Amino acid sequence: MAEKQKRVAFGALGIFIFLCIWYAATTLTSLGKVMPDPITVLAGFFTAFVEPIGTHSMIMHILVSLRRMLIPYFFGGVLGVLVGILMGWYKLADAILMPYIQMIRPIPPIAWIPLSIVWFGFDEGSKYFLIFLACFFTIALTTYNGVHSVDETLVRAARMLGAKDNQLFTSIVLPTTVPYIFSGLQVALGSAWATIVAAEMIRSSEGVGWLIISGQEVGNMTQIMVGIMAIALTGLLITSIMRGVESKLCAWTVRGK
Amino acid sequence: MKDKKKFQINKYIFISILSICFGIFVWWLVTDGLGIFRSNALPSPVKVFESFIKKWYETKPDGATLLEHLIASLQVALGGYVIGAVIGIPLGIFMAWNDKIDMCVRPVFDLVRTIPGVAWTSVMVTLVGIGFLSKALVIFISAMVAMVINSYSGIKQTKTVHLWVGQTFGASNWELLTKIAIPSALPMIFTGLDVALGSAWTTLVAAELLASTKGLGFMIQQARGIFRLDIVIVGMIVIAITGAVLSTIIQWLGRKMIKGGRT
Amino acid sequence: MANKEPKVRVQNLTKKFGDLLVLDNLNFEVEEGEFLCIVGPTGCGKTTFLNSLTRLYQPTAGEILVNGIPVDPKKQNISYIFQEYSSFPWLTVEQNIRFGLEIKKIPKEEADANVEEMLDIVGLTKFRNYYPSQLSISMLQRVAIARAFATKPELLLMDEPYGQLDIDLRFKLEDELIKLWKKTGTTVLFITHNIEEAVYLSQKIMVLTNKPTSVKTVLDNPLPLPRDVVSEEFVALRNKVTDLIKWW
C-alpha cells in the first residue's frame, strides 16, 4: 500500500531529523561538553555488545534484567488472573479481598523498594517481590473488571438453557474476560519494566538500570545514554511481542488489532 | 425484596470490615502479640500508628517533619506535572490533528515513551545536579509522555460523522478542532491527566529514593538505612494517600468539566 | 427552462476508491425547492454519492454545481442529516441546534429566534437543557433535523435519517419533514432504501442502478399532499419504483 510506504518514509524522516537536531545541538553548542552526540552513543551501544561494560556485555545486561522481570511477572500474572476471577465470580471473595487490594494498590511499586530490601536483602529476592507487586494488583483488578463486564442477560440465557457453572465459565466468562486480562498484562508489563529499571538503579551490580546508575556515578554520559537506549529498545521489543500475542489470541476484539 | 438486597450489600460491607480487622489483628499478633517478628523486620500496627502521629512534629531521624517532606514532594511533583500537562496536551492534540507531523513525530515518540521516567534521573542529575530542577525535569518528562498519548488518542477517536457535521456546515479546520475534536476528546484528556499524575507521583518517589535531600522518598530511604521500618511504612502510607487524594481531585474536576454524562 | 440555472447540477460525477468504481458518470439536475428522493438497491453507493456531493469525499471526476458555482460548504448554505446519530454528546439539545448557526456566524438575535422556532417545531422545548445521553433515539434524530433546518439551508441532504426508527415514529417524523419543507421551501435530496417512504415524501424519485452506480431513471411523483399510503395511485407508483429497483 502506498499509504504504508508514506508512513515509513515520514517516520524515517522524523527519526533522521531528531538525530540531526541532537547532533547539531551537541556539536555546535556547549551542550556537547556534557552530552555525547548520537553517533558516539550509537557506537557505544553496539560496542557494548562485544566489549563488556562492568562485568557483562550488553546482551547479558539485557538478559539479566529480562529474567528478573519475567519470572515474577509470570507468577504475578497467573496469581492475578486467578484472584481476579475469584473475586469477580464470588461476592464473598470480593468482600474479603477487595479492601486489601484497594489499600495496597495506591502505593507505587517503587515505594516498596526500601521495605523489600530489608525483607529480602539486596539480591534477586527483593526485585522479584517488587515486580510481583507491580504486576499482581494491576492484573487482578483488570481481570476482576473483565468478569464484571460479562453480560448478565447472556449468563441468564445460558442458565435457562441449562448450562452448568463450568460451562458458563468457559463459554461466556472467559471469552469476555480475556481481552481485559490482556490489557492488564500489557499495562503490567510496562510498569514491571519501569520498576525493574528503578530497582536496579537503587541497588544492583548488573542489568540495564545498573548501566545508567554506574554511568552517573562516574559521570560517563555516553554510558547513561547507551543504557537508556537499551531500555527503550528492549521495552519496545517486549511490548510489541505482547501486542503480537494479543492480536493472535483475541482476534475477535477491537483491542487485539 | 428491596430490603433483602439492601441487607445483602450491608452484609458484604460487614464482611469487608471484618476482613480488615482480622488482617490488622494478625499483623498485631505476629509482632507485639507473639513477638514472631522484631520491630526491625516488621513493626507492629501500634508502633506504626505512634510514629505516624509523632512524625508530624518530630524531625528525627531524617531532619524534617512529615509535613515538610510532604510539601517538598508535592512541590516537585506538581511543578513538573503542571508543566508536563501544559506542554503535553497541546502537543498530543497537534500531533493527532496534523497527519504529516504525526507520521514524522510518532516513531520518535514511540521510542521515547518506552523509557521509564526514572531512567531520566541519571541524565538530569548529571546535567543539572541533585536538586529541585533535576527531579522536576524527570517528572515533567514522564507526565508529558502520558499526556501526549492520551490527548493524541482522544483526538484520533473523534467520530467521523461529528467532523462531517461540522464540514457540511462549512466549519474551518480550526473550528473543527476547537468545536468538535477537542470537546469530544475531553474525557480522554482527563484520563491522561489522571494517568500522568500517577506516573508523576511514582517517578517522584523513585527520583527521591535515588537522589534527594528531602521528600517522602528520601524519608523512607533514610529510615530504611537505620532499620526504622515504622517510618518506612508511615512514608508508604502517606505516599499512597496523597496519590489517591490527588487522583480523586482530578477525577472530580473531570466530572465537573466533561459535559453530557460521558466518563 | 434553458435560461434558468437549476439549483443543483451534477455533471459526469465519478468516484473511485482505488480501483473500485463506485459512482459511474452521474448526470442530473435538481430544481429550486424540489424534494428529490434517491432510491436504489442496497449497497449501491448511495452514501458515497451524497458524500461526494458535499465534498466529504473528493470526487474522482466530474463537477457538482450549486447555483451555478462548484459546491463548497463554506460558501453555500448546506445542511446534512446523517444516517448515524450525529448529535454532539457534549452539547445540550439547544446548543446542538445552535451549532450550525454559530459556525455560520449568524447574529445572536436571529440565531436565538431560529433556535426557539426549531425547538418548538420538533417539540423539544421542554428538553432544551438535556444532553443527548438523556434522550431517546427518536428525540436524537429530531435534534439532528432541527440542527439541519435551523440554518435555513438552501440545500438539505438526508441520508436515510429514519432508517433505524420504529414505523410510527417514522410516519410522524416524515409528516414533520414535509411540514418543514413546505414552510421553508428548501431543496431536499433524501436518500432512502424504503420505497414507500420515497413515494410518500418526494416530488421526484431518482432510481440508481447497482454498483457501479449510475442514474437509471428519474420519475415524477405528482400525487397531491398529504398522501394516502393505501390509495390506488400510491400503490401503483410504489410498485413501479419497486420494479425499477429489482435486480434479480
Side-chain angles (χ1 to χ4, degrees):
Chain A
M1 282 284 282
E3 181 64 20
K4 200 169 183 180
Q5 279 166 5
K6 211 167 119 192
R7 216 155 250 285
V8 172
F10 271 100
L13 181 73
I15 289 177
F16 181 71
I17 293 172
F18 173 70
L19 291 177
C20 283
I21 293 173
W22 180 359
Y23 187 81
T26 46
T27 50
L28 301 178
T29 69
S30 59
L31 189 67
K33 290 195 187 102
V34 282
M35 180 66 99
D37 66 75
I39 297 171
T40 315
V41 173
L42 276 174
F45 179 71
F46 289 111
T47 327
F49 279 91
V50 278
E51 277 174 34
I53 299 177
T55 49
H56 294 72
S57 69
M58 177 58 88
I59 198 87
M60 282 313 290
H61 283 299
I62 293 176
L63 287 177
V64 164
S65 296
L66 278 178
R67 189 193 64 206
R68 277 179 185 152
M69 187 189 86
L70 290 176
I71 293 173
Y73 176 74
F74 175 78
F75 285 107
V78 170
L79 207 65
V81 169
L82 288 179
V83 170
I85 288 174
L86 196 71
M87 289 196 319
W89 203 238
Y90 298 104
K91 273 227 165 100
L92 188 65
D94 188 2
I96 292 174
L97 295 175
M98 202 38 132
Y100 288 97
I101 292 192
Q102 292 294 17
M103 279 193 320
I104 297 175
R105 202 180 55 108
I107 305 173
I110 288 168
W112 285 92
I113 290 178
L115 211 54
S116 76
I117 289 177
V118 174
W119 285 349
F120 300 97
F122 289 116
D123 296 332
E124 303 302 272
S126 64
K127 297 187 179 72
Y128 287 170
F129 174 69
L130 286 174
I131 302 299
F132 176 83
L133 284 177
C135 305
F136 172 76
F137 291 103
T138 307
I139 295 169
L141 270 180
T142 44
T143 310
Y144 173 84
N145 289 339
V147 176
H148 270 228
S149 75
V150 170
D151 193 347
E152 286 276 341
T153 42
L154 269 183
V155 174
R156 253 180 276 145
R159 278 246 163 82
M160 220 169 63
L161 294 169
K164 292 192 188 65
D165 254 18
N166 59 342
Q167 283 172 315
L168 268 183
F169 187 76
T170 48
S171 58
I172 298 175
V173 179
L174 213 54
T176 320
T177 312
V178 165
Y180 283 82
I181 294 177
F182 266 100
S183 86
L185 286 174
Q186 193 75 257
V187 174
L189 195 66
S191 108
W193 188 234
T195 308
I196 199 64
V197 169
E200 284 180 347
M201 284 172 77
I202 284 163
R203 202 67 190 239
S204 68
S205 50
E206 68 279 296
V208 288
W210 175 86
L211 278 178
I212 301 181
I213 202 74
S214 69
Q216 182 195 322
E217 274 155 14
V218 296
N220 182 347
M221 194 56 133
T222 310
Q223 189 181 326
I224 297 177
M225 294 309 288
V226 166
I228 286 187
M229 226 178 119
I231 291 166
L233 291 176
T234 314
L236 196 66
L237 187 72
I238 51 178
T239 43
S240 316
I241 292 174
M242 193 68 197
R243 228 172 268 155
V245 171
E246 184 182 1
S247 64
K248 276 266 172 348
L249 287 182
C250 350
W252 71 90
T253 65
V254 186
R255 247 196 71 79
K257 275 176 193 163
Chain B
M1 186 71 192
K2 230 179 185 172
D3 277 355
K4 200 180 165 192
K5 200 154 193 186
K6 213 171 175 186
F7 170 72
Q8 284 255 316
I9 292 168
N10 282 336
K11 188 180 96 181
Y12 286 118
I13 291 173
F14 181 67
I15 292 174
S16 293
I17 293 169
L18 209 65
S19 164
I20 290 283
C21 291
F22 180 72
I24 293 173
F25 175 70
V26 170
W27 180 7
W28 176 81
L29 202 66
V30 296
T31 51
D32 279 358
L34 300 172
I36 298 171
F37 292 103
R38 308 235 331 254
S39 142
N40 60 7
L42 183 67
S44 77
V46 183
K47 173 110 182 156
V48 169
F49 185 72
E50 276 173 10
S51 302
F52 179 70
I53 303 292
K54 262 194 203 154
K55 198 70 189 101
W56 288 102
Y57 54 84
E58 251 189 33
T59 54
K60 273 184 281 182
D62 41 64
T65 61
L66 191 52
L67 191 66
E68 286 169 327
H69 284 305
L70 180 61
I71 289 172
S73 291
L74 278 176
Q75 271 175 349
V76 183
L78 295 182
Y81 172 72
V82 168
I83 302 170
V86 166
I87 295 180
I89 296 173
L91 188 64
I93 292 171
F94 189 59
M95 265 171 68
W97 198 244
N98 189 316
D99 271 350
K100 290 217 171 75
I101 302 271
D102 180 19
M103 284 189 284
C104 277
V105 179
R106 217 23 221 293
V108 177
F109 188 79
D110 276 344
L111 211 58
V112 172
R113 66 185 266 199
T114 53
I115 303 168
V118 219
W120 294 108
T121 318
S122 293
V123 179
M124 295 309 166
V125 167
T126 315
L127 283 181
V128 298
I130 293 178
F132 178 85
L133 187 62
S134 59
K135 279 180 290 180
L137 282 170
V138 171
I139 287 154
F140 159 73
I141 294 175
S142 50
M144 189 189 75
V145 167
M147 276 324 311
V148 169
I149 294 169
N150 282 282
S151 18
Y152 176 89
S153 40
I155 296 284
K156 283 279 175 194
Q157 281 168 17
T158 310
K159 279 195 186 154
T160 319
V161 72
H162 286 157
L163 292 173
W164 281 356
V165 171
Q167 263 169 296
T168 47
F169 276 134
S172 65
N173 194 36
W174 177 250
E175 281 172 322
L176 289 179
L177 177 64
T178 53
K179 295 203 168 185
I180 297 173
I182 292 178
S184 111
L186 209 56
M188 273 301 273
I189 293 175
F190 266 95
T191 308
L193 281 171
D194 197 11
V195 173
L197 189 73
S199 98
W201 192 236
T202 307
T203 311
L204 170 88
V205 173
E208 284 181 344
L209 285 175
L210 274 167
S212 191
T213 52
K214 216 174 205 178
L216 295 168
F218 171 76
M219 183 182 93
I220 61 175
Q221 183 73 329
Q222 290 295 307
R224 195 268 300 166
I226 53 165
F227 290 94
R228 283 290 301 275
L229 292 198
D230 48 331
I231 294 179
V232 172
I233 294 176
V234 166
M236 287 166 66
I237 292 172
V238 174
I239 289 168
I241 292 175
T242 312
V245 167
L246 291 175
S247 162
T248 311
I249 292 173
I250 292 288
Q251 282 165 12
W252 174 81
L253 212 64
R255 277 197 297 276
K256 286 258 151 182
M257 301 269 293
I258 299 166
K259 298 278 160 60
R262 302 169 297 153
T263 43
Chain C
M1 298 281 274
N3 53 353
K4 193 180 170 252
E5 185 65 33
K7 188 78 193 169
V8 182
R9 189 211 293 274
V10 174
Q11 287 170 332
N12 311 330
L13 178 65
T14 303
K15 175 72 188 169
K16 285 181 188 168
F17 287 110
D19 291 333
L20 182 70
L21 181 62
V22 180
L23 301 179
D24 185 14
N25 202 12
L26 265 65
N27 286 290
F28 68 91
E29 288 171 6
V30 186
E31 297 298 330
E32 172 99 48
E34 207 164 54
F35 198 126
L36 174 75
C37 275
I38 300 161
V39 294
T42 325
C44 78
K46 294 185 290 256
T47 300
T48 309
F49 166 65
L50 222 54
N51 287 350
S52 301
L53 215 62
T54 45
R55 294 288 169 107
L56 290 175
Y57 297 157
Q58 202 59 39
T60 313
E63 244 185 319
I64 303 148
L65 303 174
V66 175
N67 294 335
I69 51 171
V71 63
D72 180 356
K74 285 197 177 79
K75 290 183 194 132
Q76 290 136 346
N77 196 352
I78 300 174
S79 282
Y80 196 147
I81 299 173
F82 294 90
Q83 194 173 357
E84 293 162 77
Y85 301 119
S86 58
S87 351
F88 300 122
W90 57 91
L91 298 179
T92 60
V93 168
E94 185 181 342
Q95 290 165 334
N96 259 295
I97 296 173
R98 198 182 287 274
F99 183 83
L101 297 162
E102 277 176 6
I103 294 287
K104 291 186 187 303
K105 314 245 171 358
I106 307 287
K108 193 172 180 311
E109 277 108 62
E110 194 187 335
D112 283 345
N114 284 9
V115 170
E116 291 308 321
E117 190 190 350
M118 289 320 302
L119 277 169
D120 186 43
I121 291 174
V122 295
L124 288 173
T125 312
K126 266 194 235 157
F127 299 94
R128 61 193 309 155
N129 291 324
Y130 281 51
Y131 284 99
S133 60
Q134 299 164 295
L135 300 179
S136 69
I137 287 169
S138 76
M139 283 170 162
L140 286 180
Q141 208 54 314
R142 268 143 71 186
V143 172
I145 291 166
R147 182 175 60 192
F149 271 103
T151 56
K152 313 252 186 251
E154 45 185 335
L155 178 60
L156 179 67
L157 307 163
M158 304 177 80
D159 182 9
E160 297 197 24
Y162 307 142
Q164 293 160 54
L165 296 183
D166 290 341
I167 195 144
D168 51 337
L169 274 173
R170 220 182 60 214
F171 281 148
K172 189 174 177 315
L173 290 179
E174 280 167 7
D175 285 340
E176 243 168 46
L177 177 63
I178 292 176
K179 212 166 71 191
L180 274 167
W181 168 67
K182 275 178 151 173
K183 202 168 172 179
T184 54
T186 302
T187 313
V188 182
L189 266 67
F190 188 105
I191 285 190
T192 177
H193 62 261
N194 184 327
I195 295 156
E196 187 182 84
E197 186 173 45
V199 177
Y200 188 75
L201 291 171
S202 68
Q203 288 187 304
K204 273 188 182 170
I205 300 173
M206 185 161 85
V207 183
L208 298 177
T209 64
N210 237 329
K211 246 180 217 156
T213 307
S214 58
V215 180
K216 194 166 199 174
T217 182
V218 179
L219 296 171
D220 278 321
N221 183 355
L223 303 179
L225 291 165
R227 287 164 184 162
D228 177 6
V229 289
V230 290
S231 73
E232 216 171 288
E233 299 89 346
F234 190 95
V235 175
L237 186 57
R238 200 185 70 195
N239 288 342
K240 192 175 168 193
V241 178
T242 311
D243 282 337
L244 282 167
I245 288 179
K246 274 184 186 167
W247 67 94
W248 53 88

